[in-house]
Amino acid sequence: MVDLKGIAEFLIAGNAEKVRELVQAAVKGKVEPKRILDEGLISGMEVIGAKFKNCEIYLPEVLVSAEAMHAGMEILEPLLAKSGIESRGVFLIGTVKGDLHDIGKNLVAMMMKGAGWKVTDLGVDVDAERFVKAAIEENADVIGLSALLTTTMENMKTVIELARNKGCKAKIIVGGAPLTQVFADGIGADGYAPNAGAAVEVLNRFL
Ligand code: B1M
C-alpha cells in the first residue's frame, strides 16, 4: 500500500524499519521517487527540524529520525540519480582546522540531505586550502564551516578570505556552539545558524 503520510509519521517517530518498508512499497506502487522524497521523507524531516529548533525535542530524537531518513534515502538515492532529478544545490561541509568535534556537523549534514541538498562532508580538521579546493572542484553552491572551540572558530575567517581571494563564488555559512551572529558578520560569512534546523532555513533562503 502507498502511504506517503505514513512515511513522514514513522520518520518523525524514528522507526527506520517501517520507513524502509513503506518507501519500498511506494516504489513498488510506482510512486515517483521525487514525490516519495518530498511528501514522505523531507516532509517528516521538516517537522523534526522545526521541533528541534523550538527545543521541543532533543538530539537523540533527531539522530534516530535521521537514521530513519537514511533508511529511506538508501532506497531512493539510486532511483533519484537515475531519474536525473536535480538537487537543491551542492553543499560542502566540514569542521575547521584544529577541531575534531563532528556531532553537530554531522547533524547539519544529515538535515541538509533531508532537505534535498547534495552534501559532501569533508570531515574534521579541514584546512582552508582543502575547503576551497573542494568547493571549486565540486562547484559548490554553499560551504558550511563548523567549529566548537573558541580557539578554532578563528580559522573560519581564513577559509572565507581564501575563498574570496581564489574567486570562489560559493556562499559561506558558519555555525557551532561558541559562535554568534555578530562573530559571523565580523568574519564576513554570508550566513550563520545556531542549530541544524536553522541551517536548513538559511540555505534554502540562499536559493
Ligand atoms: Co570537546 N569541548 N573538546 N570534545 N566537547 C566542548 C566544545 C567544550 C565546550 C566542553 C567544555 O569545556 N565545557 C570545550 C570548548 C571550550 C571552548 O573552546 N570554549 C571543549 C574542549 C575544551 C575540548 C578539548 C580541547 C578537550 C581537551 O582535550 N582538553 C578537546 C579538543 C579536541 C579538538 O577538537 N582538537 C575536545 C574533545 C572532545 C571529544 C573528542 C571528547 C568530544 C567530541 C566527539 C565528537 O565530536 N566526535 C567532545 C565533546 C563531545 C564535547 C561536548 C561535550 C559536546 C559537543 C557536542 O557534540 N554537542 C562539548 C560541550 C558542550 O557543547 N556541551 C565540548 C552536541 C552537538 C549536536 O551540538 O556541536 O554544538 P553542537 O552542534 C549544534 C550547533 O552548534 C550547530 O548545530 C548543531 C546541532 O544543532 N552547529 C552548526 C554546529 N555546526 C554547525 C554548522 C553550521 C550550522 C550550525 O553551518 C555550517
Side-chain angles (χ1 to χ4, degrees), residues 52-53 59 62-63 91-109 111-112 124-125 142-153 156 172-179 191-200 202-203:
F52 185 53
K53 191 181 159 202
L59 185 62
V62 179
L63 293 177
F91 178 59
L92 197 80
I93 188 167
T95 304
V96 294
K97 188 173 164 58
D99 201 320
L100 303 176
H101 295 86
D102 69 355
I103 298 170
K105 183 262 299 165
N106 293 346
L107 202 58
V108 174
M111 298 286 279
M112 255 8 134
V124 296
D125 192 19
V142 185
I143 303 173
L145 307 177
S146 179
L148 262 286
L149 300 171
T150 42
T151 47
T152 57
M153 61 197 248
M156 294 176 152
I172 301 184
I173 173 178
V174 295
L179 272 77
Y192 158 72
N195 56 53
V200 172
V202 172
L203 252 77

Side-chain angles (χ1 to χ4, degrees), residues 3-156:
D3 182 9
L4 300 183
K5 203 162 159 251
I7 294 175
E9 283 167 1
F10 279 118
L11 186 145
I12 294 163
N15 189 333
E17 209 36 63
K18 288 298 284 185
V19 168
R20 189 178 290 117
E21 198 182 289
L22 291 187
V23 169
Q24 253 154 3
V27 170
K28 266 198 185 146
K30 305 260 179 270
V31 181
E32 265 198 51
K34 176 83 168 78
R35 232 188 108 204
I36 305 173
L37 179 69
D38 286 345
E39 293 176 34
L41 299 176
I42 291 183
S43 142
M45 210 57 197
E46 275 172 0
V47 174
I48 290 294
K51 285 190 171 188
F52 185 53
K53 191 181 159 202
N54 297 332
C55 301
E56 288 168 38
I57 55 168
Y58 297 97
L59 185 62
E61 285 109 313
V62 179
L63 293 177
V64 171
S65 287
E67 280 306 311
M69 172 96 199
H70 275 214
M73 281 304 288
E74 264 172 22
I75 300 165
L76 291 185
E77 253 164 8
L79 303 172
L80 289 166
K82 227 193 275 172
S83 59
I85 288 165
E86 288 195 6
S87 66
R88 288 195 175 181
V90 176
F91 178 59
L92 197 80
I93 188 167
T95 304
V96 294
K97 188 173 164 58
D99 201 320
L100 303 176
H101 295 86
D102 69 355
I103 298 170
K105 183 262 299 165
N106 293 346
L107 202 58
V108 174
M110 279 184 202
M111 298 286 279
M112 255 8 134
K113 272 190 198 166
W117 286 74
K118 180 175 179 288
V119 176
T120 299
D121 187 343
L122 296 178
V124 296
D125 192 19
V126 182
D127 65 22
E129 286 73 19
R130 239 185 100 211
F131 268 116
V132 176
K133 187 167 176 275
I136 292 170
E137 279 172 7
E138 300 207 16
N139 205 9
D141 297 288
V142 185
I143 303 173
L145 307 177
S146 179
L148 262 286
L149 300 171
T150 42
T151 47
T152 57
M153 61 197 248
E154 294 300 330
N155 296 336
M156 294 176 152

